[in-house]
Coordinates of all heavy atoms in Angstrom, one line a residue:
M583 N 0.8 -1.2 0.0 CA 0.0 0.0 0.0 C 0.9 1.2 0.0 O 1.9 1.2 0.6 CB -0.9 0.0 1.3 CG -1.9 -1.1 1.4 SD -2.8 -1.0 2.9 CE -4.2 -0.1 2.3
P584 N 0.5 2.3 -0.7 CA 1.2 3.6 -0.6 C 1.3 4.1 0.8 O 0.4 3.9 1.6 CB 0.4 4.5 -1.5 CG -0.5 3.6 -2.3 CD -0.7 2.4 -1.5
R585 N 2.5 4.7 1.1 CA 2.7 5.3 2.4 C 2.8 6.8 2.3 O 3.5 7.3 1.5 CB 4.0 4.7 3.1 CG 3.9 3.3 3.5 CD 5.2 2.7 3.8 NE 6.0 3.5 4.8 CZ 5.9 3.4 6.1 NH1 5.2 2.4 6.6 NH2 6.6 4.1 6.9
L586 N 2.0 7.5 3.2 CA 2.1 9.0 3.2 C 2.6 9.4 4.5 O 2.1 8.9 5.6 CB 0.7 9.5 3.0 CG -0.2 9.1 1.9 CD1 -1.6 9.8 2.0 CD2 0.5 9.5 0.6
T587 N 3.5 10.4 4.5 CA 4.0 10.9 5.8 C 3.7 12.4 5.8 O 4.1 13.1 4.8 CB 5.5 10.7 6.0 OG1 5.7 9.3 6.0 CG2 5.9 11.3 7.3
Y588 N 2.9 12.9 6.8 CA 2.6 14.3 7.0 C 3.5 14.8 8.0 O 3.6 14.3 9.1 CB 1.2 14.5 7.4 CG 0.2 13.9 6.4 CD1 -0.2 12.6 6.5 CD2 -0.4 14.7 5.5 CE1 -1.1 12.0 5.6 CE2 -1.4 14.2 4.6 CZ -1.7 12.9 4.6 OH -2.6 12.4 3.7
V589 N 4.3 15.9 7.7 CA 5.3 16.5 8.7 C 4.8 17.8 9.1 O 4.3 18.6 8.2 CB 6.6 16.6 8.0 CG1 7.7 17.1 9.0 CG2 7.1 15.2 7.5
Y590 N 4.9 18.2 10.4 CA 4.5 19.4 10.9 C 5.6 20.3 11.3 O 6.8 19.9 11.4 CB 3.6 19.1 12.2 CG 2.4 18.4 11.8 CD1 2.4 17.0 11.8 CD2 1.2 19.0 11.3 CE1 1.3 16.2 11.4 CE2 0.1 18.3 10.9 CZ 0.2 16.9 10.9 OH -0.9 16.2 10.5
E591 N 5.3 21.6 11.5 CA 6.4 22.6 11.7 C 7.2 22.3 13.0 O 8.4 22.6 13.0 CB 5.8 24.0 11.9 CG 5.4 24.6 10.6 CD 5.1 26.1 10.7 OE1 4.7 26.6 11.8 OE2 5.2 26.8 9.7
D592 N 6.6 21.6 13.9 CA 7.4 21.3 15.2 C 8.3 20.0 15.0 O 8.9 19.5 15.9 CB 6.5 21.1 16.4 CG 5.5 19.9 16.2 OD1 5.6 19.2 15.2 OD2 4.7 19.7 17.2
G593 N 8.3 19.4 13.8 CA 9.1 18.3 13.5 C 8.3 17.0 13.7 O 8.8 15.9 13.3
S594 N 7.2 17.0 14.3 CA 6.4 15.8 14.4 C 5.9 15.3 13.1 O 5.8 16.1 12.1 CB 5.2 16.0 15.4 OG 4.3 16.9 14.9
R595 N 5.6 14.0 13.0 CA 5.2 13.4 11.7 C 4.2 12.4 12.0 O 4.1 11.8 13.1 CB 6.3 13.0 10.9 CG 7.4 12.2 11.6 CD 8.5 11.7 10.7 NE 9.3 12.8 10.1 CZ 9.8 12.7 8.8 NH1 9.6 11.6 8.1 NH2 10.4 13.7 8.3
R596 N 3.4 12.1 11.0 CA 2.4 11.0 11.0 C 2.4 10.3 9.7 O 2.3 10.9 8.6 CB 1.0 11.7 11.2 CG -0.2 10.8 11.2 CD -0.5 10.2 12.6 NE -1.6 9.3 12.5 CZ -2.9 9.7 12.5 NH1 -3.2 10.9 12.7 NH2 -3.8 8.7 12.4
T597 N 2.6 9.0 9.8 CA 2.6 8.2 8.6 C 1.4 7.3 8.5 O 1.0 6.7 9.5 CB 3.9 7.3 8.5 OG1 5.0 8.2 8.5 CG2 4.0 6.4 7.3
V598 N 0.8 7.2 7.4 CA -0.4 6.4 7.2 C -0.2 5.6 5.9 O 0.5 6.0 5.0 CB -1.7 7.2 7.1 CG1 -1.9 8.0 8.4 CG2 -1.7 8.1 5.9
E599 N -0.9 4.4 5.9 CA -1.0 3.6 4.6 C -2.4 3.8 4.1 O -3.3 3.7 4.8 CB -0.6 2.2 4.9 CG 0.9 2.0 5.3 CD 1.3 0.6 5.4 OE1 0.4 -0.3 5.5 OE2 2.5 0.3 5.4
V600 N -2.4 3.9 2.8 CA -3.8 4.1 2.2 C -3.9 3.2 0.9 O -2.9 2.8 0.3 CB -4.0 5.6 1.7 CG1 -3.9 6.5 2.9 CG2 -3.0 6.0 0.7
A601 N -5.1 3.0 0.5 CA -5.4 2.3 -0.7 C -4.9 3.1 -1.9 O -4.9 4.3 -1.8 CB -6.9 2.0 -0.8
T602 N -4.5 2.4 -2.9 CA -4.1 3.2 -4.1 C -5.3 3.9 -4.7 O -6.5 3.5 -4.4 CB -3.6 2.2 -5.2 OG1 -4.6 1.2 -5.5 CG2 -2.3 1.6 -4.8
A603 N -5.0 5.0 -5.4 CA -6.1 5.8 -6.0 C -6.8 6.7 -5.0 O -7.9 7.3 -5.3 CB -7.0 5.0 -6.9
T604 N -6.3 6.7 -3.7 CA -6.9 7.6 -2.7 C -6.2 8.9 -2.8 O -5.0 9.0 -2.7 CB -6.8 7.0 -1.3 OG1 -7.4 5.8 -1.3 CG2 -7.4 7.9 -0.3
N605 N -6.9 10.1 -2.8 CA -6.2 11.3 -2.8 C -5.7 11.7 -1.4 O -6.3 11.2 -0.4 CB -7.0 12.4 -3.5 CG -8.1 13.0 -2.7 OD1 -7.9 13.4 -1.5 ND2 -9.3 13.1 -3.3
L606 N -4.7 12.5 -1.3 CA -4.1 12.8 -0.1 C -5.0 13.5 0.9 O -4.9 13.3 2.1 CB -2.8 13.7 -0.3 CG -1.6 13.0 -0.6 CD1 -1.6 12.2 -1.9 CD2 -0.4 13.9 -0.6
M607 N -5.9 14.3 0.4 CA -6.8 15.0 1.4 C -7.7 13.9 2.0 O -7.9 13.9 3.2 CB -7.6 16.0 0.6 CG -8.7 16.8 1.4 SD -10.3 15.9 1.5 CE -10.9 16.1 -0.1
K608 N -8.3 13.1 1.2 CA -9.2 12.0 1.7 C -8.5 11.1 2.7 O -9.0 10.6 3.7 CB -9.9 11.3 0.6 CG -11.0 12.2 -0.1 CD -11.8 11.4 -1.1 CE -12.9 12.3 -1.6 NZ -13.6 11.7 -2.7
A609 N -7.2 10.8 2.3 CA -6.4 9.9 3.2 C -6.2 10.6 4.5 O -6.3 9.9 5.6 CB -5.1 9.6 2.5
A610 N -6.0 11.9 4.6 CA -5.8 12.6 5.8 C -7.1 12.6 6.7 O -7.0 12.3 7.9 CB -5.3 14.0 5.5
L611 N -8.2 12.8 6.0 CA -9.4 12.9 6.8 C -9.8 11.5 7.3 O -10.2 11.3 8.4 CB -10.6 13.4 5.9 CG -10.4 14.9 5.4 CD1 -11.7 15.3 4.7 CD2 -10.1 15.8 6.6
A612 N -9.6 10.4 6.5 CA -9.9 9.1 6.9 C -9.1 8.6 8.1 O -9.5 7.8 8.9 CB -9.7 8.1 5.7
H613 N -7.8 9.2 8.2 CA -7.0 8.8 9.3 C -6.9 9.8 10.4 O -6.0 9.8 11.2 CB -5.6 8.5 8.7 CG -5.5 7.2 7.9 ND1 -5.8 7.2 6.6 CD2 -5.2 5.9 8.3 CE1 -5.7 5.9 6.1 NE2 -5.3 5.2 7.1
Q614 N -7.8 10.8 10.3 CA -7.8 11.9 11.3 C -6.5 12.5 11.5 O -6.0 12.8 12.6 CB -8.4 11.4 12.6 CG -9.8 10.8 12.4 CD -10.3 10.0 13.6 OE1 -9.6 9.6 14.4 NE2 -11.6 9.9 13.7
V615 N -5.8 12.8 10.4 CA -4.6 13.5 10.4 C -4.9 15.0 10.5 O -5.6 15.6 9.7 CB -3.8 13.3 9.0 CG1 -2.6 14.2 8.9 CG2 -3.4 11.8 8.9
P616 N -4.3 15.7 11.6 CA -4.6 17.1 11.8 C -4.0 18.0 10.7 O -3.0 17.6 10.1 CB -4.0 17.4 13.2 CG -3.1 16.3 13.4 CD -3.5 15.1 12.6
G617 N -4.6 19.1 10.5 CA -4.0 20.2 9.7 C -4.5 20.1 8.2 O -4.1 21.0 7.5
I618 N -5.2 19.1 7.9 CA -5.8 19.1 6.5 C -7.3 19.1 6.7 O -7.9 18.3 7.4 CB -5.5 17.7 5.8 CG1 -3.9 17.5 5.7 CG2 -6.1 17.7 4.4 CD1 -3.2 18.5 4.9
I619 N -8.0 20.1 6.1 CA -9.4 20.4 6.4 C -10.3 19.8 5.2 O -11.2 19.1 5.5 CB -9.7 21.9 6.6 CG1 -8.9 22.3 7.8 CG2 -11.2 22.1 6.8 CD1 -8.9 23.8 8.0
G620 N -10.0 20.2 4.0 CA -10.7 19.7 2.9 C -12.1 20.1 2.8 O -13.1 19.4 2.5
E621 N -12.3 21.4 3.1 CA -13.7 22.0 3.2 C -14.5 21.8 2.0 O -15.7 21.6 2.1 CB -13.5 23.5 3.5 CG -14.8 24.2 4.0 CD -14.5 25.6 4.5 OE1 -13.9 25.7 5.6 OE2 -14.8 26.5 3.8
C622 N -14.0 21.9 0.8 CA -14.8 21.8 -0.4 C -15.0 20.4 -0.9 O -15.6 20.1 -1.9 CB -14.2 22.7 -1.6 SG -12.7 22.0 -2.3
G623 N -14.4 19.4 -0.2 CA -14.6 18.0 -0.6 C -13.7 17.6 -1.8 O -14.0 16.5 -2.3
G624 N -12.8 18.4 -2.2 CA -11.9 18.0 -3.3 C -12.2 18.6 -4.6 O -11.7 18.2 -5.6
A625 N -12.9 19.7 -4.6 CA -13.3 20.4 -5.8 C -12.2 21.5 -6.2 O -12.4 22.2 -7.2 CB -14.6 21.1 -5.7
A626 N -11.1 21.6 -5.4 CA -10.1 22.6 -5.7 C -10.6 24.0 -5.6 O -10.1 24.9 -6.3 CB -9.4 22.3 -7.1
T627 N -11.5 24.3 -4.7 CA -12.1 25.6 -4.6 C -11.9 26.2 -3.1 O -12.5 27.3 -2.9 CB -13.6 25.6 -4.9 OG1 -14.3 24.6 -4.1 CG2 -13.8 25.2 -6.4
C628 N -11.2 25.5 -2.2 CA -11.1 26.1 -0.9 C -9.7 26.3 -0.4 O -9.4 27.2 0.4 CB -11.9 25.2 0.1 SG -11.0 23.6 0.5
G629 N -8.8 25.5 -0.9 CA -7.4 25.7 -0.5 C -7.0 25.2 0.9 O -5.9 25.4 1.3
T630 N -8.0 24.5 1.6 CA -7.7 24.1 2.9 C -7.1 22.7 3.0 O -7.0 22.1 4.1 CB -9.0 24.1 3.8 OG1 -9.9 23.1 3.2 CG2 -9.6 25.5 3.8
C631 N -6.6 22.2 1.9 CA -5.9 21.0 1.9 C -4.4 21.2 1.4 O -3.8 20.2 1.0 CB -6.6 19.9 1.0 SG -6.6 20.4 -0.7
H632 N -4.0 22.4 1.4 CA -2.7 22.8 0.9 C -1.5 22.0 1.6 O -1.6 21.9 2.9 CB -2.5 24.3 1.2 CG -1.2 24.9 0.8 ND1 -0.7 26.1 1.4 CD2 -0.3 24.5 -0.1 CE1 0.4 26.4 0.8 NE2 0.7 25.5 -0.1
V633 N -0.6 21.5 0.9 CA 0.6 20.9 1.4 C 1.8 21.3 0.6 O 1.7 21.8 -0.6 CB 0.5 19.3 1.4 CG1 -0.6 18.8 2.3 CG2 0.3 18.8 0.0
Y634 N 3.0 21.1 1.2 CA 4.2 21.2 0.5 C 4.8 19.9 0.2 O 5.1 19.1 1.2 CB 5.2 22.1 1.3 CG 4.7 23.5 1.7 CD1 4.3 23.7 3.0 CD2 4.5 24.5 0.7 CE1 3.8 25.0 3.4 CE2 4.0 25.7 1.1 CZ 3.7 26.0 2.4 OH 3.2 27.2 2.8
V635 N 5.0 19.5 -1.0 CA 5.5 18.1 -1.3 C 7.0 18.1 -1.1 O 7.7 18.9 -1.7 CB 5.2 17.7 -2.8 CG1 5.8 16.4 -3.1 CG2 3.6 17.7 -2.9
A636 N 7.5 17.3 -0.2 CA 8.9 17.3 0.2 C 9.6 16.2 -0.6 O 10.7 16.4 -1.1 CB 9.1 17.0 1.7
H637 N 9.0 15.1 -0.7 CA 9.6 13.9 -1.4 C 8.5 13.0 -1.9 O 7.5 12.7 -1.2 CB 10.5 13.2 -0.5 CG 11.0 11.9 -1.0 ND1 12.0 11.8 -2.0 CD2 10.6 10.6 -0.8 CE1 12.2 10.5 -2.3 NE2 11.4 9.8 -1.6
S638 N 8.7 12.5 -3.1 CA 7.7 11.6 -3.6 C 8.3 10.6 -4.6 O 9.2 11.0 -5.4 CB 6.6 12.3 -4.4 OG 5.7 11.4 -4.9
T639 N 7.9 9.3 -4.5 CA 8.3 8.3 -5.5 C 7.3 8.2 -6.6 O 7.5 7.5 -7.5 CB 8.6 7.0 -4.8 OG1 7.3 6.5 -4.2 CG2 9.7 7.0 -3.8
E640 N 6.2 9.0 -6.4 CA 5.1 9.0 -7.4 C 5.3 10.2 -8.3 O 5.8 11.2 -7.9 CB 3.8 9.1 -6.7 CG 2.6 9.1 -7.6 CD 2.1 7.7 -7.9 OE1 1.9 6.9 -7.0 OE2 1.8 7.5 -9.1
Q641 N 5.0 10.0 -9.6 CA 5.1 11.1 -10.5 C 3.7 11.8 -10.6 O 2.7 11.1 -11.0 CB 5.5 10.7 -11.9 CG 6.9 10.1 -12.0 CD 7.9 11.2 -11.7 OE1 7.8 12.3 -12.2 NE2 8.9 10.9 -10.9
F642 N 3.6 13.1 -10.3 CA 2.3 13.8 -10.3 C 2.2 14.6 -11.6 O 3.2 15.2 -12.0 CB 2.1 14.7 -9.1 CG 2.1 13.9 -7.8 CD1 3.0 14.1 -6.9 CD2 1.1 13.0 -7.6 CE1 3.0 13.4 -5.7 CE2 1.0 12.3 -6.4 CZ 2.0 12.5 -5.4
A643 N 1.1 14.7 -12.1 CA 0.8 15.7 -13.2 C 1.0 17.1 -12.7 O 0.7 17.3 -11.5 CB -0.6 15.4 -13.8
P644 N 1.3 18.0 -13.5 CA 1.4 19.4 -13.0 C 0.0 19.9 -12.6 O -1.0 19.3 -13.0 CB 2.0 20.2 -14.2 CG 1.9 19.3 -15.4 CD 1.7 17.9 -14.9
P645 N 0.0 21.0 -11.8 CA -1.3 21.5 -11.4 C -2.2 21.9 -12.5 O -1.7 22.5 -13.5 CB -0.9 22.7 -10.5 CG 0.5 22.5 -10.1 CD 1.1 21.7 -11.2
S646 N -3.5 21.6 -12.4 CA -4.4 22.1 -13.5 C -4.6 23.6 -13.3 O -4.2 24.2 -12.3 CB -5.8 21.4 -13.2 OG -6.3 21.9 -12.0
P647 N -5.1 24.3 -14.3 CA -5.4 25.7 -14.2 C -6.2 26.1 -12.9 O -5.9 27.1 -12.3 CB -6.1 26.1 -15.5 CG -5.6 25.1 -16.5 CD -5.5 23.8 -15.7
D648 N -7.2 25.2 -12.6 CA -8.0 25.5 -11.4 C -7.2 25.4 -10.1 O -7.3 26.2 -9.2 CB -9.2 24.5 -11.3 CG -10.3 24.8 -12.3 OD1 -10.3 25.9 -12.9 OD2 -11.2 24.0 -12.5
E649 N -6.3 24.4 -10.1 CA -5.4 24.2 -8.9 C -4.4 25.4 -8.8 O -4.2 26.0 -7.8 CB -4.7 22.9 -9.0 CG -3.8 22.7 -7.7 CD -3.1 21.4 -7.7 OE1 -3.2 20.5 -8.6 OE2 -2.3 21.1 -6.7
E650 N -3.9 25.8 -10.0 CA -3.0 26.9 -10.0 C -3.6 28.2 -9.4 O -3.1 28.9 -8.6 CB -2.5 27.2 -11.4 CG -1.5 26.3 -12.0 CD -0.1 26.5 -11.4 OE1 0.1 27.5 -10.7 OE2 0.8 25.7 -11.8
D651 N -4.9 28.4 -9.9 CA -5.6 29.6 -9.4 C -5.8 29.5 -7.9 O -5.6 30.5 -7.1 CB -7.0 29.7 -10.1 CG -6.9 30.1 -11.5 OD1 -5.8 30.6 -11.9 OD2 -7.9 30.0 -12.2
M652 N -6.2 28.3 -7.4 CA -6.5 28.2 -5.9 C -5.3 28.3 -5.1 O -5.3 28.9 -4.0 CB -7.2 26.9 -5.7 CG -7.8 26.7 -4.3 SD -9.2 27.9 -4.1 CE -8.4 29.0 -2.8
L653 N -4.1 27.9 -5.6 CA -2.9 28.0 -4.9 C -2.5 29.4 -4.6 O -1.7 29.7 -3.7 CB -1.8 27.2 -5.6 CG -1.9 25.7 -5.5 CD1 -0.9 25.0 -6.4 CD2 -1.6 25.2 -4.0
E654 N -3.0 30.3 -5.4 CA -2.7 31.8 -5.2 C -3.5 32.3 -3.9 O -3.2 33.4 -3.5 CB -3.1 32.6 -6.4 CG -2.3 32.3 -7.6 CD -0.8 32.5 -7.4 OE1 -0.4 33.5 -6.7 OE2 0.0 31.7 -7.9
W655 N -4.4 31.5 -3.4 CA -5.3 32.0 -2.3 C -5.2 31.2 -1.0 O -6.0 31.3 -0.2 CB -6.7 32.0 -2.8 CG -6.9 33.0 -3.9 CD1 -6.9 32.7 -5.3 CD2 -7.1 34.4 -3.9 NE1 -7.1 33.8 -6.0 CE2 -7.2 34.9 -5.2 CE3 -7.2 35.3 -2.8 CZ2 -7.4 36.2 -5.4 CZ3 -7.4 36.6 -3.1 CH2 -7.5 37.1 -4.4
T656 N -4.1 30.4 -0.9 CA -4.0 29.6 0.3 C -3.7 30.5 1.5 O -3.1 31.5 1.3 CB -2.9 28.5 0.1 OG1 -1.7 29.1 -0.4 CG2 -3.4 27.5 -0.9
A657 N -4.0 30.0 2.7 CA -3.8 30.8 3.9 C -2.3 30.9 4.2 O -1.8 31.9 4.7 CB -4.5 30.2 5.1
S658 N -1.6 29.8 4.0 CA -0.1 29.9 4.1 C 0.5 30.1 2.8 O 0.0 29.7 1.7 CB 0.4 28.5 4.7 OG -0.1 28.4 6.0
E659 N 1.7 30.7 2.8 CA 2.3 31.2 1.6 C 2.6 30.0 0.6 O 3.0 28.9 1.0 CB 3.7 31.8 1.9 CG 4.3 32.5 0.8 CD 5.6 33.3 1.2 OE1 5.8 33.5 2.4 OE2 6.4 33.6 0.4
R660 N 2.3 30.3 -0.6 CA 2.6 29.3 -1.7 C 4.1 29.2 -1.9 O 4.8 30.2 -1.9 CB 1.9 29.8 -3.0 CG 2.2 28.8 -4.1 CD 1.5 29.2 -5.4 NE 1.7 28.2 -6.4 CZ 1.2 28.2 -7.6 NH1 0.4 29.2 -8.0 NH2 1.4 27.2 -8.4
A661 N 4.5 28.0 -2.1 CA 5.9 27.7 -2.5 C 6.0 27.0 -3.8 O 5.0 26.6 -4.3 CB 6.6 26.9 -1.3
A662 N 7.2 26.8 -4.3 CA 7.4 26.1 -5.6 C 6.8 24.7 -5.5 O 6.4 24.1 -6.5 CB 8.8 26.1 -6.0
N663 N 6.8 24.1 -4.3 CA 6.4 22.7 -4.1 C 4.9 22.6 -3.5 O 4.5 21.6 -3.0 CB 7.3 21.9 -3.3 CG 7.5 22.4 -1.9 OD1 7.2 23.6 -1.7 ND2 8.1 21.7 -1.0
S664 N 4.2 23.7 -3.6 CA 2.8 23.7 -3.0 C 1.9 22.9 -4.0 O 2.0 23.1 -5.2 CB 2.3 25.2 -2.9 OG 2.9 25.9 -1.9
R665 N 1.1 22.2 -3.3 CA 0.0 21.5 -4.1 C -1.2 21.4 -3.2 O -1.2 21.6 -2.0 CB 0.4 20.0 -4.4 CG 1.6 19.9 -5.4 CD 1.3 20.5 -6.8 NE 0.2 20.0 -7.5 CZ 0.3 19.0 -8.4 NH1 1.4 18.6 -8.8 NH2 -0.8 18.6 -9.0
L666 N -2.4 21.2 -3.9 CA -3.6 20.9 -3.2 C -3.7 19.4 -3.0 O -3.7 18.7 -4.0 CB -4.8 21.4 -4.0 CG -4.9 22.9 -4.2 CD1 -6.1 23.2 -5.0 CD2 -4.9 23.7 -2.9
S667 N -3.7 18.9 -1.8 CA -3.6 17.5 -1.6 C -4.8 16.7 -2.2 O -4.7 15.5 -2.4 CB -3.4 17.1 -0.1 OG -4.5 17.6 0.7
C668 N -5.9 17.4 -2.4 CA -7.1 16.7 -3.0 C -6.8 16.4 -4.4 O -7.6 15.6 -5.0 CB -8.3 17.6 -2.8 SG -8.4 19.1 -3.7
Q669 N -5.8 17.0 -5.0 CA -5.6 16.8 -6.4 C -4.4 15.8 -6.7 O -4.0 15.6 -7.8 CB -5.2 18.2 -7.1 CG -6.3 19.2 -6.9 CD -7.6 18.8 -7.5 OE1 -7.7 18.5 -8.7 NE2 -8.7 18.7 -6.7
L670 N -3.9 15.3 -5.6 CA -2.8 14.3 -5.7 C -3.3 12.9 -5.3 O -3.8 12.7 -4.2 CB -1.6 14.7 -4.7 CG -1.0 16.1 -5.0 CD1 0.0 16.4 -4.0 CD2 -0.5 16.2 -6.4
T671 N -3.0 12.0 -6.2 CA -3.5 10.6 -6.0 C -2.3 9.7 -6.2 O -1.5 9.8 -7.1 CB -4.6 10.2 -7.0 OG1 -5.7 11.1 -6.8 CG2 -5.0 8.8 -6.7
L672 N -2.1 8.8 -5.2 CA -1.0 7.8 -5.3 C -1.6 6.6 -6.1 O -2.5 6.0 -5.6 CB -0.5 7.4 -4.0 CG 0.1 8.6 -3.2 CD1 0.4 8.2 -1.8 CD2 1.4 9.1 -3.9
T673 N -0.9 6.2 -7.2 CA -1.4 5.2 -8.0 C -0.6 3.9 -7.9 O -1.0 2.8 -8.3 CB -1.5 5.6 -9.5 OG1 -0.2 6.0 -9.9 CG2 -2.5 6.8 -9.6
R674 N 0.6 4.0 -7.4 CA 1.5 2.9 -7.3 C 1.5 2.3 -5.9 O 1.5 3.0 -4.9 CB 3.0 3.3 -7.6 CG 3.2 3.6 -9.1 CD 4.6 4.0 -9.4 NE 5.5 3.5 -8.4 CZ 6.5 4.3 -7.9 NH1 6.8 5.5 -8.4 NH2 7.4 3.8 -7.0
A675 N 1.4 1.0 -5.8 CA 1.3 0.3 -4.5 C 2.5 0.6 -3.7 O 2.4 0.6 -2.4 CB 1.0 -1.2 -4.7
D676 N 3.7 0.8 -4.3 CA 4.9 1.0 -3.5 C 5.3 2.5 -3.4 O 6.4 2.8 -3.0 CB 6.1 0.3 -4.2 CG 6.4 0.8 -5.6 OD1 5.5 1.5 -6.2 OD2 7.5 0.5 -6.1
A677 N 4.3 3.4 -3.7 CA 4.6 4.8 -3.7 C 4.8 5.3 -2.2 O 4.2 4.8 -1.3 CB 3.4 5.6 -4.3
E678 N 5.8 6.2 -2.1 CA 6.0 6.8 -0.8 C 6.0 8.3 -1.0 O 6.5 8.8 -2.0 CB 7.3 6.4 -0.2 CG 7.3 4.9 0.2 CD 8.4 4.6 1.1 OE1 8.9 5.5 1.9 OE2 8.8 3.4 1.1
L679 N 5.4 9.0 -0.1 CA 5.3 10.5 -0.3 C 5.4 11.1 1.1 O 4.9 10.7 2.1 CB 3.9 10.8 -0.8 CG 3.6 12.3 -1.0 CD1 4.4 12.9 -2.1 CD2 2.1 12.5 -1.4
V680 N 6.2 12.2 1.1 CA 6.3 13.0 2.3 C 5.8 14.4 2.0 O 6.3 15.0 1.0 CB 7.8 13.1 2.8 CG1 7.9 14.0 4.0 CG2 8.3 11.7 3.1
V681 N 4.9 15.0 2.8 CA 4.4 16.3 2.6 C 4.5 17.1 3.9 O 4.4 16.5 5.0 CB 3.0 16.4 2.1 CG1 2.8 15.7 0.7 CG2 2.0 15.7 3.1
H682 N 4.8 18.4 3.8 CA 4.8 19.2 5.0 C 3.4 19.9 5.0 O 2.9 20.4 4.0 CB 5.9 20.3 4.9 CG 7.3 19.7 5.1 ND1 7.9 19.7 6.3 CD2 8.1 19.0 4.2 CE1 9.1 19.0 6.2 NE2 9.2 18.6 4.9
V683 N 2.9 20.0 6.2 CA 1.6 20.6 6.4 C 1.8 22.0 6.8 O 2.5 22.3 7.8 CB 0.8 19.8 7.5 CG1 -0.6 20.5 7.8 CG2 0.6 18.3 7.1
P684 N 1.1 23.0 6.2 CA 1.3 24.4 6.5 C 0.8 24.7 7.9 O 0.0 24.0 8.5 CB 0.4 25.1 5.5 CG 0.2 24.2 4.4 CD 0.2 22.8 5.0
S685 N 1.3 25.8 8.5 CA 0.9 26.1 9.8 C -0.6 26.6 9.9 O -1.2 26.5 11.0 CB 1.8 27.3 10.4 OG 1.7 28.4 9.5
K686 N -1.1 27.1 8.8 CA -2.5 27.4 8.8 C -3.2 27.1 7.5 O -2.5 27.2 6.5 CB -2.7 28.9 9.2 CG -2.0 29.9 8.3 CD -2.2 31.3 8.8 CE -1.4 32.2 7.9 NZ -1.6 33.6 8.3
Q687 N -4.4 26.8 7.5 CA -5.2 26.4 6.3 C -6.3 27.4 6.1 O -6.9 27.5 5.0 CB -5.8 25.0 6.4 CG -4.7 23.9 6.4 CD -4.1 23.6 5.1 OE1 -4.2 24.4 4.1 NE2 -3.5 22.5 5.0
V688 N -6.7 28.2 7.1 CA -7.7 29.2 7.0 C -7.3 30.5 7.6 O -6.4 30.6 8.4 CB -9.1 28.8 7.6 CG1 -9.6 27.6 6.9 CG2 -8.9 28.4 9.1
Ligands
FES1236 S1 -10.3 20.1 -0.5 FE1 -10.8 22.1 -1.2 S2 -9.1 22.6 -2.5 FE2 -8.6 20.6 -1.8

């Protein structure tokens, strides 16, 4: 199963295993991972699932125009590795991903 690690500003981390084809926002909510809200349910219209991708063995498509637009409005500053976690899906069973969770989502 793909493994996701969410890292926080204080250095703490939480690793979960999820079924393939699960997006990172839904994985966080299903495992009660703090710091990911997912207010719009994955429509790329709220920005409350913002993460900074630190390391991934999965290849992601570049952000869609809608994701690009929403990343301009996130509560925490956008960085070059900013993504909306609802738009990221792990498709390989051996995928590993590390993301940093922003200090604020709203
Ligand atoms: S859940 Fe709203 S933008 Fe990702």
Side-chain angles (χ1 to χ4, degrees):
M583 296 179 95
R585 289 170 50 91
L586 307 177
T587 299
Y588 300 86
V589 181
Y590 297 89
E591 282 193 335
D592 67 359
S594 63
R595 43 180 63 214
R596 174 90 182 272
T597 299
V598 299
E599 292 187 342
V600 299
T602 54
T604 302
N605 77 49
L606 275 61
M607 179 274 288
K608 288 187 177 175
L611 297 185
H613 289 86
Q614 299 168 341
V615 171
I618 305 293
I619 299 171
E621 192 171 287
C622 73
T627 57
C628 72
T630 64
C631 66
H632 179 204
V633 294
Y634 303 108
V635 175
H637 169 75
S638 178
T639 60
E640 180 87 49
Q641 295 294 316
F642 297 116
S646 68
D648 287 345
E649 183 179 356
E650 285 283 357
D651 288 347
M652 192 66 248
L653 285 169
E654 295 299 322
W655 297 95
T656 52
S658 292
E659 188 174 347
R660 181 180 184 176
N663 59 345
S664 286
R665 293 299 301 260
L666 297 178
S667 61
C668 67
Q669 304 301 302
L670 300 178
T671 301
L672 297 173
T673 59
R674 291 183 15 225
D676 64 343
E678 293 198 25
L679 177 68
V680 177
V681 296
H682 289 264
V683 180
S685 59
K686 58 182 176 180
Q687 295 283 17
V688 292

